Amino acid sequence: MREGSQRSSSLPSIPAWTHPHSVASAYDNGIMLYMRHLSKMELKVFKKLLNEHFLPDSLGFTWEQLDRASWAEMVHLLIEFLPGAQAWDVAQEILNRMNQRGLCSLAHTERMSILPTLEPLDFHLRKRPLSLTEEERDKIQEYKQRVVEETHPVWNNTMWPGNQADFLYSRVENHEAMLPCLFLPRRPQGRQPKTVVIHGIPGIGKTTLARKMMMQWARNEFYAHKFKFAFYFHCRELHRLGELSFSELIERQRLRPRALVSKVLSRPDQLLLLLDGFEELTSPLVTGPAGLMEDWNQKLPGSVLLSSLLSKRMLPEATLLIMVRPASWRGIKVLVKYPFHVVLTGFNRIEALNYLRLYFTSKTISNQAVDFAMKNSTLLSMCRVPVVCWVVCCCLRTQIQKMVDLTKACPNVTSVFVLYLANLFPTIFKKLPYGDYKKQLEGVCRLAAQGIWNLKSVFDKRDFQCVMVDETTIDNFLYVNILQKLEGQGDRYVFALFTFQEFFGALFYVLFSPRRMMYYHPLSHINIWNLITMSRERAMFGYQMGLFLFGLFNEECAGIAMRSFKCKLCLKNKLKAMKVITRLKDYEGYEYSQLFHCLWETREESFVKYVLLGYQKVSLKIKSQEDLQTSAFCLKHCGDLKKMELTLSRDFYKELWPSSADPSYGAQVEENEILFTWWQDICSVFETTEGLKVLAVTDSILEAPFMQIFTRALKQPHCKLLRLQLENCNLTGISCEGIAFALRHNKMLTHLSLAENNLRDAGSRHIWRAFKYLTCPLQRLVLRQCSLTSACCKYMTSALKNNKSLRSLDLSCNRLKDDGVILLCDALADADCNVSILELEWCGFTSYACHAIASMLGSHRKLMYLDLSKNVIGVSGILTLSLAFLSHRQGEDVILEKTSNDRVDMYTRLKGPEVEDGCLKIVQDWNS
């Protein structure tokens, strides 16, 4: 993996790759998770006690198999062979013998909570072990040996050039932690999932994971007590073989004779089927029940056979493991019943940076590469696919060897891939005449683009012929590893990396084409719309093609591409993109993350500023550092912005605060400083964009450093915000101290909402104390569901008496109770208080507080709207308030009515000189 150990050949092959996984998701809703805290020695003791005292001898597996089982397999075994509450009883007994008091207590607690939802005992009644002859056992052992022999070369090929050990084999715990947990029994029924779906973008390693699982099974290291038989099927195989029965398909896996296959299929509960390669399906799946079959001996087309397995019409008791891309999942999810989902995430940010550090021998060069990646969040995000990370390293190494500045050599992410492919194209230039080469390149790009729009990644000879790409070109692109030929598939090909297909698809729309009247291939408005609105969150098919297209719109990148590929480019589609983007602002409910990613890739401030003219409202969900950087760049150019909606999600922080023991901790501090700079750029918009009046930050996590930058921006003298919402933002008392400090200095704010934050009384105290020093004309304050009690009302009363600007106060869903409401009414009765809207829904007070409310109503005639709903004030409270209205509001109408939802609504129309059409509302349970 070192720089000096790269192959001397100028044609580097694309390495196969293993990968880390989303381990946490494999634990979701799992039972007996506390078993993972047993050490290896403790787990071995647990197994011995279980085997010697609690398991019958007739189960059909050996101590050697039991000894190899992981903690998750042990949990599965307990649930499988000790149905119902017995599994927890036995686990408690063994843990008690081992003096594991803490785990024993957890087992008891879980038993009590899950017992009501466990499946009936008869569901777990096991069949007798399958009776096999000695010859049949030998046949099965031969099959397992072939699985090992055929799978093992895959691991030999997962080495980097130079025969360096695979980077992730030093992190094999990621695999060991995830694989056994895939079939962990789940809540609420305590059932093993019968269908597990492994999601992952192209290149992330789904097939490698499946092969590893098959090899572990063949070595009796994976659920030996459960899966006696396992088979791996790739959809390309079903396409190639035509019509056949499932039993014949098993025979083609070289498990014979037919009688043995029939025995195997007679016990589907012991069967594990791994299904892969759905993106290579050429026939649509059958979704109608009438087209599904259950007979495994019936000859069927591949699509019908696959549909029957997915729907569990055939072999309903078998366990399925499905490897699927996001784009393919949409076509099969209608068939799959009750799946458990696991997402493969590839490299996280730290692992990608660590790989960059290890790739280069020189620390100076390594630091250059790491610094470049940290400042290019989009590039770092793409490096979560390990083989893409390797491609990036190859490109950076070449540029560093040329002694050039990386930021100048690679003006954007697209240019990195241009420069990598540029190293491969000289071989193609030598074998194709110049004029013919341009036509052939255009044909390859056309094929890639058509594949993106048609959700197609596998191409045959006819596809190449349709775009006039000849066999010589195919061979050349195969030779330099841009294309790959599918094994055992005849003349069927894929791009070696799906990222290459996305890149060439984008290149098609900027190529100069002298054979066309307009000299380029125009994109329709709807296609441009799709490229800039495609969901990154769902990893849509080809979503990076939009990124590459906008990258090629960058003039520096376009110049690099023209020199590298020896072709002319035409950027007329850039003008069409400008028209589409300028119209996008007219559509409601659109989330701007993908658009901002594309605009950031242009790196052209004048272009971005022009297309964002007239954008008055922007809605952003920041889920990654990539979102943060692109938003920071684009928001600075939204000069007409009036309202911004922002969510800083929990996912953003998952890898942000590593332990100081992490070997990359020093660099992590530097990277955090970069992140803080991007966040500061976003917050600077509050001051620099004069028209920005409304800011809504919702469903967010604002950690201390981000909160400090945020409040610092709020108190700047040029901040013109009128309305600020910080709702469900995980704010605490310390956070409120910063907000209160900003309130003292901000001179414009009229509306503030801190709803759904756990402020407690300590946090609200900072807000109320700030009222004494307010310089802004604050008119509405929302503290709904902030965990406030009557204690905070002491500070509230003083603030309300001394403030004349506040008009609306929402304290709903806080347990103020009688004492708090009485104190509040005392403050509102003050002559200087101007509050006209008061909301006290779900505040926990009773009829006792109604006397104070009635008194306040008599003296505080400015009140226009009062909400007392969902408080148990009873009939006496209603009467008290009614008398107050009748006594102090002469000539006004009082209406009592029972509504359809068993509520009483009391409305009084206020006709005084100060109010023309106000409404006083009290809602109360009819029966209380």
Side-chain angles (χ1 to χ4, degrees):
M1 183 187 315
R2 299 287 185 177
E3 177 192 5
S5 63
Q6 301 298 313
R7 288 178 181 169
S8 58
S9 170
S10 61
L11 305 174
S13 62
I14 301 297
W17 190 251
T18 55
H19 57 285
H21 310 282
S22 179
V23 178
S25 64
Y27 293 153
D28 287 351
N29 296 319
I31 61 175
M32 294 193 184
L33 295 180
Y34 41 82
M35 291 289 289
R36 60 182 164 164
H37 298 300
L38 291 174
S39 66
K40 287 185 179 180
M41 186 58 66
E42 290 169 342
L43 185 59
K44 189 163 189 172
V45 173
F46 186 97
K47 294 173 185 176
K48 282 186 176 181
L49 292 172
L50 177 66
N51 188 51
E52 293 172 1
H53 300 286
F54 299 99
L55 291 181
D57 297 330
S58 59
L59 293 181
F61 56 87
T62 65
W63 163 250
E64 286 73 19
Q65 292 174 331
L66 183 62
D67 189 35
R68 290 173 182 165
S70 66
W71 71 269
E73 291 171 283
M74 285 301 303
V75 172
H76 186 283
L77 186 147
L78 284 168
I79 301 299
E80 183 85 357
F81 296 104
L82 301 169
Q86 295 179 45
W88 280 269
D89 294 338
V90 169
Q92 282 182 253
E93 176 65 23
I94 296 175
L95 291 171
N96 192 44
R97 293 188 187 188
M98 295 172 61
N99 201 31
Q100 294 284 343
R101 307 296 184 196
L103 298 186
C104 192
S105 175
L106 290 174
H108 173 74
T109 302
E110 184 180 55
R111 179 189 185 278
M112 299 305 294
S113 65
I114 200 174
L115 195 58
T117 59
L118 284 178
E119 286 185 322
L121 294 181
D122 58 352
F123 180 86
H124 287 276
L125 291 179
R126 296 183 52 78
K127 301 174 183 178
R128 292 182 178 180
L130 189 62
S131 177
L132 297 172
T133 66
E134 191 66 32
E135 182 181 359
E136 287 172 334
R137 291 194 185 94
D138 290 342
K139 293 289 185 183
I140 292 173
Q141 192 56 42
E142 289 176 12
Y143 166 68
K144 288 185 175 182
Q145 186 59 36
R146 278 194 294 272
V147 168
V148 173
E149 291 171 357
E150 292 173 0
T151 307
H152 188 67
V154 173
W155 308 115
N156 287 339
N157 291 332
T158 57
M159 300 294 183
W160 287 100
N163 292 321
Q164 295 298 314
D166 187 328
F167 173 63
L168 283 176
Y169 274 90
S170 64
R171 300 183 58 82
V172 73
E173 68 272 10
N174 288 304
H175 293 275
E176 302 304 326
M178 180 188 184
L179 289 180
C181 296
L182 293 177
F183 302 107
L184 191 67
R186 312 281 167 182
R187 293 174 180 271
Q189 291 89 9
R191 178 196 303 177
Q192 169 223 315
K194 302 296 286 186
T195 301
V196 177
V197 182
I198 305 291
H199 298 267
I201 60 176
I204 210 73
K206 301 178 294 296
T207 299
T208 306
L209 174 69
R211 290 181 180 274
K212 177 167 186 177
M213 193 177 301
M214 283 297 297
M215 189 166 71
Q216 285 192 349
W217 170 81
R219 290 175 172 173
N220 296 320
E221 296 172 354
F222 185 77
Y223 281 84
H225 68 279
K226 172 64 177 176
F227 303 125
K228 304 302 181 184
F229 317 101
F231 302 96
Y232 171 83
F233 302 105
H234 199 285
C235 288
R236 73 168 72 109
E237 184 180 2
L238 296 175
H239 167 79
R240 180 170 56 90
L241 296 176
E243 285 197 11
L244 77 171
S245 68
F246 187 66
S247 57
E248 290 173 331
L249 188 61
I250 296 293
E251 286 187 73
R252 294 193 68 88
Q253 300 261 348
R254 289 182 285 180
L255 182 64
R256 299 183 181 91
R258 175 67 64 88
L260 176 57
V261 173
S262 296
K263 273 190 176 182
V264 168
L265 296 181
S266 70
R267 292 298 305 274
D269 59 307
Q270 298 181 354
L271 196 59
L272 174 63
L273 304 178
L274 294 85
L275 306 176
D276 193 9
F278 287 89
E279 65 278 2
E280 297 186 29
L281 275 178
T282 55
S283 302
L285 294 172
V286 177
T287 56
L292 303 174
M293 303 298 169
E294 60 184 32
D295 184 1
W296 66 68
N297 286 315
Q298 182 179 353
K299 289 183 180 293
L300 300 169
S303 59
V304 177
L305 179 57
L306 189 58
S307 301
S308 301
L309 290 171
L310 289 169
S311 65
K312 294 296 183 78
R313 182 71 176 269
M314 185 183 292
L315 302 171
E317 295 178 64
T319 300
L320 301 183
L321 184 67
I322 301 170
M323 273 61 65
V324 65
R325 295 179 181 181
S328 303
W329 172 242
R330 295 195 298 274
I332 68 175
K333 66 180 180 180
V334 293
L335 287 167
V336 179
K337 298 177 180 177
Y338 311 114
F340 175 72
H341 301 276
V342 176
V343 179
L344 303 190
T345 56
F347 275 156
N348 61 35
R349 189 189 82 258
I350 295 173
E351 288 164 341
L353 290 173
N354 283 344
Y355 180 75
L356 287 168
R357 293 185 183 97
L358 292 172
Y359 184 88
F360 300 97
T361 53
S362 167
K363 188 174 181 180
T364 302
I365 295 176
S366 170
N367 289 340
Q368 273 186 267
V370 168
D371 183 66
F372 178 76
M374 286 195 300
K375 293 178 180 177
N376 287 271
S377 58
T378 302
L379 183 66
L380 196 56
S381 174
M382 294 173 72
C383 284
R384 72 184 186 276
V385 178
V387 69
V388 173
C389 194
W390 175 80
V391 166
V392 170
C393 286
C394 287
C395 172
L396 297 184
R397 175 172 57 89
T398 303
Q399 299 307 310
I400 292 173
Q401 287 174 346
K402 294 178 180 179
M403 305 295 290
V404 297
D405 184 346
L406 287 179
T407 56
K408 293 180 179 179
C410 307
N412 57 13
V413 173
T414 306
S415 62
V416 173
F417 290 88
V418 171
L419 291 168
Y420 172 80
L421 292 168
N423 289 331
L424 310 182
F425 265 69
T427 304
I428 300 175
F429 297 150
K430 293 176 184 177
K431 298 189 177 185
L432 291 173
Y434 178 66
D436 189 43
Y437 153 75
K438 290 193 295 182
K439 295 178 183 177
Q440 296 297 299
L441 175 61
E442 184 178 344
V444 171
C445 291
R446 181 190 294 273
L447 184 73
Q450 290 176 350
I452 294 295
W453 297 123
N454 297 321
L455 307 181
K456 184 175 181 179
S457 60
V458 181
F459 307 96
D460 56 28
K461 277 288 181 67
R462 289 173 298 177
D463 296 319
F464 284 97
Q465 290 168 358
C466 288
V467 295
M468 295 182 289
V469 172
D470 57 36
E471 291 191 19
T472 304
T473 301
I474 296 174
D475 290 339
N476 287 330
F477 275 78
L478 286 172
Y479 182 70
V480 297
N481 293 307
I482 292 175
L483 291 176
Q484 283 185 352
K485 190 173 184 178
L486 296 176
E487 297 179 8
Q489 287 287 294
D491 294 325
R492 301 186 79 215
Y493 308 87
V494 295
F495 284 87
L497 283 179
F498 187 67
T499 304
F500 290 169
Q501 182 177 346
E502 294 173 306
F503 173 80
F504 284 108
L507 184 61
F508 177 67
Y509 292 107
V510 295
L511 280 177
F512 178 80
S513 180
R515 293 176 292 176
R516 295 184 64 87
M517 184 179 298
M518 294 184 293
Y519 302 114
Y520 74 106
H521 300 277
L523 270 167
S524 67
H525 283 192
I526 189 64
N527 283 344
I528 295 174
W529 173 279
N530 288 332
L531 289 175
I532 62 178
T533 60
M534 206 172 278
S535 171
R536 301 178 65 82
E537 181 179 348
R538 297 180 182 177
M540 302 290 279
F541 194 90
Y543 74 92
Q544 285 183 163
M545 187 169 87
L547 187 79
F548 288 135
L549 178 64
F550 278 77
L552 290 167
F553 287 163
N554 175 281
E555 293 186 5
E556 289 184 60
C557 182
I560 296 171
M562 285 191 284
R563 293 190 297 272
S564 300
F565 302 138
K566 294 185 178 180
C567 61
K568 293 182 179 180
L569 300 186
C570 179
L571 302 184
K572 292 291 184 66
N573 276 316
K574 185 175 183 179
L575 299 176
K576 301 190 75 172
M578 292 170 67
K579 293 180 181 179
V580 174
I581 297 172
T582 54
R583 295 175 184 172
L584 191 64
K585 64 179 180 294
D586 300 325
Y587 294 88
E588 289 290 333
Y590 171 65
E591 207 267 316
Y592 289 87
S593 294
Q594 173 67 0
L595 171 64
F596 280 10
H597 285 285
C598 291
L599 293 179
W600 159 245
E601 184 62 10
T602 67
R603 304 295 206 277
E604 294 182 356
E605 294 191 3
S606 58
F607 173 78
V608 175
K609 188 173 183 179
Y610 177 81
V611 298
L612 293 179
L613 277 175
Y615 273 69
Q616 297 183 2
K617 178 183 175 182
V618 167
S619 177
L620 292 170
K621 292 181 181 179
I622 296 179
K623 298 181 178 180
S624 64
Q625 296 180 29
E626 190 180 3
D627 292 334
L628 186 69
Q629 184 179 22
T630 56
S631 298
F633 174 77
C634 292
L635 285 173
K636 290 190 296 184
H637 301 294
C638 291
D640 298 323
L641 194 61
K642 293 183 178 179
K643 181 177 181 180
M644 181 164 66
E645 296 174 351
L646 184 66
T647 296
L648 199 64
S649 78
R650 191 178 303 273
D651 295 339
F652 176 75
Y653 293 97
K654 281 184 177 178
E655 300 169 2
L656 192 58
W657 314 115
S659 166
S660 59
D662 190 282
S664 60
Y665 180 72
Q668 183 65 37
V669 173
E670 179 185 351
E671 186 178 3
N672 287 345
E673 290 300 323
I674 295 172
L675 299 181
F676 298 152
T677 300
W678 294 337
W679 177 243
Q680 193 165 357
D681 288 342
I682 290 177
C683 294
S684 69
V685 174
F686 310 159
E687 182 180 3
T688 57
T689 307
E690 292 189 3
L692 183 60
K693 304 300 181 184
V694 181
L695 173 64
V697 185
T698 57
D699 303 321
S700 299
I701 305 291
L702 289 174
E703 295 288 355
F706 290 87
M707 194 65 193
Q708 289 172 10
I709 295 170
F710 182 83
T711 54
R712 194 183 307 138
L714 289 178
K715 70 176 184 179
Q716 295 304 314
H718 296 291
C719 179
K720 299 297 195 306
L721 285 177
L722 299 179
R723 296 172 178 249
L724 174 62
Q725 289 176 243
L726 291 171
E727 298 183 353
N728 190 23
C729 290
N730 200 36
L731 301 183
T732 62
I734 297 177
S735 305
C736 285
E737 190 172 358
I739 295 171
F741 189 68
L743 281 175
R744 296 180 184 184
H745 294 82
N746 187 291
K747 297 183 179 181
M748 303 293 293
L749 204 63
T750 61
H751 290 67
L752 174 64
S753 175
L754 303 177
E756 299 178 41
N757 290 292
N758 192 29
L759 304 184
R760 300 186 180 274
D761 297 329
S764 69
R765 187 185 308 135
H766 293 297
I767 302 299
W768 297 121
R769 283 178 174 174
F771 268 59
K772 185 178 180 180
Y773 308 99
L774 278 185
T775 57
C776 62
L778 190 65
Q779 296 178 13
R780 176 165 171 79
L781 178 63
V782 180
L783 296 176
R784 183 180 64 254
Q785 198 174 332
C786 289
S787 303
L788 307 182
T789 69
S790 59
C792 79
C793 294
K794 298 176 183 177
Y795 303 96
M796 188 192 312
T797 54
S798 175
L800 293 176
K801 289 179 179 179
N802 294 315
N803 184 278
K804 295 184 179 181
S805 63
L806 194 67
R807 297 289 189 274
S808 176
L809 178 62
D810 185 353
L811 297 171
S812 300
C813 303
N814 291 294
R815 304 301 290 174
L816 302 182
K817 297 188 176 181
D818 292 330
D819 292 344
V821 172
I822 291 171
L823 286 172
L824 175 62
C825 289
D826 178 61
L828 292 174
D830 189 273
D832 292 329
C833 180
N834 291 317
V835 172
S836 58
I837 299 174
L838 179 62
E839 297 171 67
L840 297 175
E841 180 184 8
W842 276 120
C843 284
F845 61 87
T846 67
S847 59
Y848 182 73
C850 289
H851 295 285
I853 296 173
S855 177
M856 179 269 296
L857 289 173
S859 59
H860 188 58
R861 301 185 63 85
K862 298 174 184 177
L863 197 64
M864 296 172 59
Y865 181 91
L866 175 63
D867 187 350
L868 306 178
S869 57
K870 299 181 178 64
N871 292 286
V872 185
I873 61 176
V875 175
S876 62
I878 292 286
L879 291 175
T880 300
L881 294 174
S882 300
L883 290 173
F885 297 140
L886 293 173
S887 301
H888 299 286
R889 305 251 181 203
Q890 297 297 326
E892 296 172 355
D893 297 326
V894 178
I895 303 173
L896 284 172
E897 64 175 287
K898 180 177 179 180
T899 60
S900 59
N901 59 352
D902 290 336
R903 300 283 183 194
V904 174
D905 288 358
M906 185 190 321
Y907 297 101
T908 176
R909 298 293 178 185
L910 307 183
K911 302 176 182 177
E914 300 179 32
V915 182
E916 293 184 0
D917 192 25
C919 175
L920 186 61
K921 173 187 175 185
I922 300 176
V923 183
Q924 175 54 35
D925 289 339
W926 179 253
N927 296 321
S928 59

